[in-house]
Amino acid sequence: MKHVAKGGLLAGLMALAMTGSAFAVTLHMHNGGEPASLDPHKVSGTWENRIVGDYLEGLTTEAANGDAIAGAAESWDISEDGLVYTFHLRQDAVWSDGTPVTAHDFVTAFQRLMNPETAASYAYLQYTIKNAEAINSGEIEDLNELGAVALDDYTLEVTLENPAPFLLQALTHYTAYPVPSHLLEEHGDAWADTANIVANGPYVPVEWLPGSHLRSVKNDSYHDADNVQIEEVIYYSLDDLSAALNRYRAGEFDILTDFPADQITLLDSQHPGEAHVAPFLGLHYYVFNLNNPDLADVNVRKALSMAINREIIGPDIFGTGELAAYSWVPPGTANYIDGAFTYDWAETPYGERVAEAQALMAEAGFGPDNPLSVEIRYNTSDNHQRLAVAIAAMWEQLGVQTELFNSEVVVHYDALQANDFHSIGRAGWVMDYNDPINMLELLRTGIDYNYGRYDNDEYNALIAASATETDIDARAAILAEAEALAMEDYAALPLAFYVSRNVVSPRISGFEDNASDIHRTRWLTKSED
């Protein structure tokens, strides 16, 4: 389904003409997994976000430090009750084919996102918009009831269900990007094929060779094009981190978006200052498939969790200092209570924890004569494999028989979303915006990213109650209660809080470590040295 555009060669020649030189400044970026799509309503991964966020721009966008700044909207007004945002769009903004970018493109995009026929698994991120959830669920059929209205071509009014202190940050997410109404009408979903695609962001995709790379060129129609220094970006699809590192060291890549954790010493010694390891808002975790009857007993899930020595994950398994996770919401999350939850056994010596875990397993009926058999499913990566091997060894102390199964990232997450895995699934979540609800929604019933199908009415009610609480502190307390409930229920298995792992060539400037680990190409420059 994903092919190089028939006009790929012509597009390439046009791209060179656009930049005015056959010697364009090209950024070679290792991007990890193969994108599933370029359509913002059909993607879900960080590897897709890097591409989509370079060619589309929302009402707000990310600064180099990750903060939300003006994007397609140059300003906005907020009503006193915090329910109505009026966005004033840039009147000089055009799509890369010269068609004006209007408020109608945003209305079309929000309606398409919420239309149940689109089946956008990430639609819930914008449920703060009035009637969004009711439309997405089919309760309301008229898309025009959505709280996103074009007052005129350059004024967009967004009405919310409840005040959302994180809205401007949430609007930087690709679920809030516009789509070109004129192309959607002409081509339908094929508007995002490289043969048809247009951009309102700093780059335009022109070529896609599946399994190899996607290439984008500078969009001279972009409103800030004069300050965009990189003229061409090639995003390489490559899951093998060791191979990626070798290609970086050979000078083939300018940026690695990950690297084998056990190579940090080599990088520090042979490429000093090039490895960027920084904390950011994300969680490594395993999910329990709660449709597996062997995992239905909360004591089994508790035993499996207690038997994991999280203290060695960051320094010894990953080698890059990730913090042990005994909670679901990362430390430093805004609008929350820092340290709201931690397991009461987190400080118990590891040997004592294993003994208690063994007793819990025996109580549940598992032991030498009836061992628990599980499968750890993970997406292909040296780091994920090392972690799975280590955890399997820890679980051997409980008499657990563990098999390992890996697959490419797209296949892996498709299986998780479909709940098509035996028992244990590896997952990672990088927060889309800095608010605890973005983590806690992952365990709410009906969310596609609730991979293990945790279903707790009390938890769902707390999440719903938080949405109507306008006092920030009171809302935080409700969300903390929800987190504690899910964690004591062992709804999932938090392992370690993320650190970002990038490697950046000395030729690249403008790369800023930030809590979102988002680094838009428009802020980067590349020297000729």
Side-chain angles (χ1 to χ4, degrees):
M1 189 171 172
K2 297 184 282 288
H3 301 284
V4 179
K6 291 181 180 178
L9 178 58
L10 177 60
L13 294 173
M14 289 176 62
L16 292 176
M18 287 169 64
T19 59
S21 170
F23 301 99
V25 178
T26 301
L27 179 72
H28 297 275
M29 180 185 295
H30 159 249
N31 194 38
E34 176 76 14
S37 174
L38 297 183
D39 187 328
H41 299 156
K42 300 182 184 297
V43 299
S44 62
T46 54
W47 58 97
E48 294 156 335
N49 183 21
R50 293 186 193 101
I51 300 170
V52 175
D54 269 357
Y55 93 87
L56 290 175
E57 184 174 81
L59 297 162
T60 57
T61 188
E62 302 94 348
N65 66 1
D67 290 347
I69 60 172
E74 59 185 358
S75 64
W76 48 84
D77 304 309
I78 306 173
S79 64
E80 288 189 10
D81 61 6
L83 291 177
V84 180
Y85 285 65
T86 305
F87 292 93
H88 307 284
L89 274 61
R90 301 177 187 276
Q91 297 194 23
D92 60 346
V94 296
W95 294 101
S96 52
D97 64 358
T99 304
V101 178
T102 70
H104 304 287
D105 293 322
F106 282 94
V107 172
T108 296
F110 281 126
Q111 290 186 355
R112 180 174 183 259
L113 175 72
M114 294 306 162
N115 190 333
E117 294 181 2
T118 305
S121 59
Y122 242 170
Y124 76 91
L125 284 183
Q126 304 301 340
Y127 278 180
T128 50
I129 299 175
K130 188 173 181 62
N131 292 331
E133 185 171 9
I135 291 172
N136 194 232
S137 68
E139 181 182 339
I140 294 177
E141 296 183 0
D142 185 356
L143 297 177
N144 292 315
E145 292 295 311
L146 186 66
V149 178
L151 301 183
D152 57 46
D153 284 351
Y154 298 102
T155 310
L156 178 72
E157 182 180 86
V158 177
T159 303
L160 307 183
E161 289 281 357
N162 303 285
F166 52 85
L167 181 71
L168 294 177
Q169 192 71 43
L171 292 177
T172 68
H173 192 263
Y174 47 79
T175 48
Y177 290 172
V179 297
S181 304
H182 61 298
L183 290 190
L184 190 63
E185 182 176 347
E186 180 179 357
H187 299 290
D189 287 350
W191 75 269
D193 292 352
T194 49
N196 305 320
I197 205 165
V198 295
N200 78 318
Y203 294 91
V204 187
V206 296
E207 178 187 65
W208 188 351
L209 185 62
S212 175
H213 67 272
L214 184 141
R215 184 167 66 89
S216 293
V217 298
K218 180 179 174 180
N219 176 13
D220 285 342
S221 299
Y222 180 57
H223 65 80
D224 194 36
D226 289 347
N227 293 314
V228 175
Q229 301 300 310
I230 302 290
E231 295 168 294
E232 179 183 55
V233 193
I234 302 179
Y235 311 87
Y236 294 87
S237 301
L238 182 59
D239 283 322
D240 187 333
L241 297 185
S242 295
L245 179 57
N246 288 338
R247 292 181 65 176
Y248 174 85
R249 298 185 70 202
E252 296 180 39
F253 292 160
D254 298 308
I255 293 177
L256 294 183
T257 54
D258 201 355
F259 60 85
D262 61 358
Q263 297 299 305
I264 185 64
T265 301
L266 178 146
L267 284 165
D268 286 344
S269 63
Q270 298 188 22
H271 300 272
E274 296 175 36
H276 289 240
V277 178
F280 77 118
L281 299 174
L283 176 70
H284 294 277
Y285 63 102
Y286 281 179
V287 288
F288 300 111
N289 188 338
L290 297 176
N291 289 319
N292 183 330
D294 287 342
L295 298 174
D297 188 333
V298 66
N299 282 333
V300 171
R301 303 196 298 271
K302 180 177 181 180
L304 292 173
S305 184
M306 291 184 73
I308 295 175
N309 186 354
R310 292 164 174 79
E311 304 303 326
I312 69 170
I313 292 176
D316 299 330
I317 298 174
F318 288 159
T320 39
E322 285 82 352
L323 292 175
Y326 296 98
S327 63
W328 192 247
V329 178
T333 298
N335 309 318
Y336 202 46
I337 304 165
D338 203 29
F341 177 84
T342 191
Y343 284 114
D344 57 10
W345 46 260
E347 299 297 326
T348 302
Y350 181 62
E352 294 179 23
R353 281 166 39 192
V354 171
E356 183 177 345
Q358 290 169 336
L360 289 169
M361 291 293 284
E363 184 181 337
F366 292 105
D369 297 331
N370 183 35
L372 174 67
S373 295
V374 299
E375 176 188 87
I376 298 177
R377 180 170 187 144
Y378 62 94
N379 51 302
T380 303
S381 163
D382 295 341
N383 297 332
H384 302 158
Q385 182 179 15
R386 276 195 299 273
L387 179 61
V389 168
I391 288 178
M394 296 173 195
W395 285 346
E396 281 184 12
Q397 302 171 97
L398 308 183
V400 175
Q401 296 177 349
T402 306
E403 293 186 7
L404 307 185
F405 180 86
N406 71 290
S407 56
E408 293 182 356
V409 64
V410 173
V411 175
H412 174 75
Y413 278 106
D414 282 349
L416 290 192
Q417 286 191 45
N419 191 238
D420 183 18
F421 62 104
H422 177 266
S423 43
I424 309 290
R426 181 269 158 191
W429 192 263
V430 177
M431 291 177 67
D432 301 294
Y433 49 85
N434 193 354
D435 188 88
I437 194 64
N438 188 237
M439 289 298 305
L440 295 167
E441 282 268 310
L442 297 176
L443 299 175
R444 182 164 72 87
T445 303
I447 298 298
D448 285 351
Y449 300 99
N450 181 356
Y451 303 129
R453 303 301 189 258
Y454 179 63
D455 186 4
N456 184 304
D457 290 343
E458 185 180 353
Y459 182 85
N460 296 336
L462 287 168
I463 297 300
S466 75
T468 59
E469 178 54 68
T470 57
D471 181 271
I472 292 294
D473 292 337
R475 175 178 179 267
I478 293 170
L479 292 174
E481 185 179 351
E483 181 184 20
L485 176 64
M487 290 296 94
E488 294 290 2
D489 212 8
Y490 294 87
L493 205 167
L495 295 170
F497 294 114
Y498 265 94
V499 292
S500 55
R501 286 193 292 258
N502 297 286
V503 186
V504 183
S505 166
R507 297 178 63 187
I508 303 299
S509 58
F511 186 99
E512 293 188 28
D513 293 323
N514 62 68
S516 301
D517 194 30
I518 291 177
H519 312 276
R520 298 300 181 206
T521 308
R522 67 178 285 200
W523 306 116
L524 306 179
T525 59
K526 180 178 177 180
S527 70
E528 297 298 327
D529 297 333

